[in-house]
Amino acid sequence: MNTARRRRSAALAAFAAAGLVFTAAPAAVAAPSPTTSAALPSGLYGEGDPTYDGVWRQSLALLAQDTVGVRPAAKAVDWLTGQQCDSGGFPSYRADATGDCDAKLPLDSNATAAAVQALAALGGNDAALDKGVAWLKSVQNQDGGWSYNPGGPSDANSTSIVIGALAAAGEKPEAVTSKGGKTPYDALLTFAQPCDAEEAGAFVYQPGTPGLVADSTAAAVLGAHGAGLVVAAGAADAKGLACEKAANAADAAHNGAVYLAKALDGTGHLDTPPMPGAENPEKKPDFGNTADAVVALHAQGMGEAAKKPLAWLQQNADGWAKENGPAAYAQLIFAAHAAGADPKSFGPTDLVAGLNATGPAPEAASPQGSASSEENKEKKDEDKDDDGSGVGAWWIVGAFFAASVGVGFLLSGRKKNRQP
C-alpha cells in the first residue's frame, strides 16, 4: 500500500464516478508548487514534494526501519508526531507545524492510520498514538468503514489500513462499531466481488468502481485478517485456488488472495491500471501493487503463489525503488519480511541501506537486522517507560494531477507506481 497508489485510486475512482474522462493531466490545473530539497525539513524522508504523501512516506519509512531492527533518528520521529493536529488526525502534509492545523486542511485517514502503525511499533509516543486512534474512531462511517478524508463514502483501501492501525494499537477492530452497529468487517464485505463476477473474488475500491482492484484487493486481504502493513506468513491456506461463496471476512480474504494469485501467475507482476479515457493504454509493471500482493499472499498462507512475484521484484525493482524513494523501499522491505527473504540482499539491492540513505541517519541498528531482536524490543520497552468533512474539489483534482505526472510516491500507494 503506498501513498501514490492510494491517492491515485481515490482520484481515479472519483473521476470515474463523476463521468469525467482525461487523456492526460487536465491542462487547466496547475501542479502543486514543488518544495525544493533545500527547503525540506531535515527529519523528513525523501526528496520529492511531500504535499500529498509526506506523512505517509515518513510513516512507512519508520515502520520499515523498525521491521528490520533499525532505530530511526529521533528527529525523524519528532517530525512525524509534529504533523499531528490537535484533533488527533494527520493531514497528508503541512509545511508549517508550529501551530494547530488550519481548519480547512483536509485530514487523511490513510496517513493517520499509517502514522498510528509506525508509532505503535516504535513505542514512546503513547499520547500521540492514543489521539490518532481516537480520531480514527470518531470519523468511522455508518457502514463501519472509512473514507480517505472524513465525510466521503467508505472505500476498501482506507477501511483496511485503519483496521491495521486499530489492531497495531491494541484495539479489537471487530469491537469498533459505528453508531449504526456496523463493524469494519461489515464494510469490507460490501467491497468483495462474488465468484460469478468478472473480477471474481477481488475487492473493489468502492461498490460500482471496478477496474482498480489490484490495490484494493491486496489491502483488503490484510484488513480481513486484522493485519497491518507488516505481517508474518500465516498458516497454509488449504482451500486451494478456488473462489467460494464468502459468508464472512475470512472467506472473502481467501477469495481475494485467489484473485491475486491468478493475476500474478502469468508474468509474475501486476500492471498499472490505465488512466480514464486513455486510448491504447500502455501496460507498465506495477511494482508497488506487486509488492503489496506478495505481502497479502503470505498473510493468507499462499506463500507458494508469492514466489514468482517475489523473484520478479528481486530482479527488477531496484530502479523503481531508487526513483520513488522511502515508501517504495518500505514496500519492498515489507514484502521481503513477509516472505522471509533478506532485505539486505534483495536481488542486487540492499533495501535497508537504500531506505536509510533517503533520510536522517538512524540512531542505531541491530547487527542481525531483525525486528525481533531482544535489543530492539528492549529499546522499545525503555522508550515506553520513559514516555510516562468531505474532500474539497481542489484536493481531488490536485491528487489526480499528481498521480498523472508522478508527483509523490503514490499519489499511497498506493501513488506513482500505482498508488493511493
Side-chain angles (χ1 to χ4, degrees):
M1 309 173 161
N2 61 54
T3 310
R5 83 176 170 239
R6 237 178 253 289
R7 295 203 190 328
R8 184 172 188 272
S9 291
L12 290 177
F15 277 98
L20 300 177
V21 174
F22 293 96
T23 56
V29 180
S33 300
T35 306
T36 63
S37 298
L40 291 177
S42 61
L44 177 64
Y45 279 82
E47 297 180 351
D49 179 6
T51 301
Y52 299 107
D53 76 335
V55 171
W56 175 269
R57 77 193 193 203
Q58 188 82 353
S59 300
L60 264 65
L62 299 179
L63 184 57
Q65 285 184 322
D66 178 80
T67 299
V68 296
V70 172
R71 186 172 175 80
K75 65 179 179 180
V77 181
D78 290 344
W79 183 90
L80 178 60
T81 57
Q83 288 286 296
Q84 189 175 35
C85 299
D86 283 353
S87 66
F90 285 76
S92 301
Y93 171 76
R94 58 173 176 149
D96 182 4
T98 56
D100 191 23
C101 299
D102 187 303
K104 295 181 180 180
L105 181 65
L107 297 184
D108 180 338
S109 67
N110 290 228
T112 302
V116 164
Q117 292 191 43
L119 294 175
L122 294 169
N125 287 280
D126 291 353
L129 178 66
D130 292 345
K131 286 176 63 177
V133 170
W135 181 83
L136 289 171
K137 289 181 178 180
S138 75
V139 296
Q140 184 179 23
N141 286 336
Q142 286 289 334
D143 63 0
W146 283 265
S147 58
Y148 197 91
N149 299 97
S154 298
D155 65 78
N157 299 52
S158 300
T159 299
S160 299
I161 193 169
V162 172
I163 289 174
L166 293 172
E171 300 280 339
K172 294 182 178 179
E174 66 275 13
V176 178
T177 57
S178 68
K179 293 180 180 179
K182 297 291 186 179
T183 74
Y185 299 109
D186 291 327
L188 270 189
L189 284 174
T190 68
F191 309 120
Q193 297 297 285
C195 295
D196 59 356
E198 181 178 356
E199 294 168 320
F203 288 81
V204 293
Y205 178 75
Q206 290 172 331
T209 58
L212 301 171
V213 298
D215 183 26
S216 51
T217 300
V221 169
L222 295 182
H225 281 281
L229 297 168
V230 179
V231 304
D237 186 330
K239 293 184 178 180
L241 295 181
C243 184
E244 302 177 350
K245 184 176 180 179
N248 51 46
D251 294 342
H254 165 80
N255 290 344
V258 168
Y259 171 84
L260 293 173
K262 291 180 177 179
L264 289 161
D265 187 53
T267 62
H269 65 79
L270 300 170
D271 293 319
T272 56
M275 300 299 286
E279 296 182 5
N280 302 317
E282 178 185 358
K283 288 187 176 181
K284 295 183 179 180
D286 188 335
F287 294 90
N289 273 326
T290 300
D292 290 350
V294 168
V295 176
L297 288 170
H298 277 283
Q300 184 60 35
M302 292 185 178
E304 191 66 29
K307 287 183 177 179
K308 188 173 183 178
L310 179 70
W312 182 84
L313 288 169
Q314 290 171 322
Q315 296 167 9
N316 298 283
D318 180 68
W320 171 76
K322 290 178 179 177
E323 178 183 358
N324 289 281
Y329 280 113
Q331 283 180 271
L332 295 174
I333 286 174
F334 298 152
H337 176 78
D342 184 358
K344 293 185 177 180
S345 182
F346 197 78
T349 309
D350 183 338
L351 299 175
V352 178
L355 172 60
N356 291 346
T358 66
E363 292 193 355
S366 164
Q368 294 82 10
S370 170
S372 63
S373 69
E374 284 302 313
E375 178 183 355
N376 194 46
K377 182 178 184 299
E378 289 171 5
K379 282 286 188 180
K380 289 186 202 177
D381 291 341
E382 289 170 8
D383 285 347
K384 191 168 185 179
D385 291 340
D386 291 342
D387 185 29
S389 102
V391 186
W394 66 268
W395 191 93
I396 288 291
V397 174
F400 181 83
F401 181 90
S404 302
V405 299
V407 176
F409 173 63
L410 155 71
L411 223 197
S412 155
R414 250 167 181 16
K415 309 236 175 235
K416 183 175 190 257
N417 76 31
R418 66 190 174 144
Q419 319 233 355

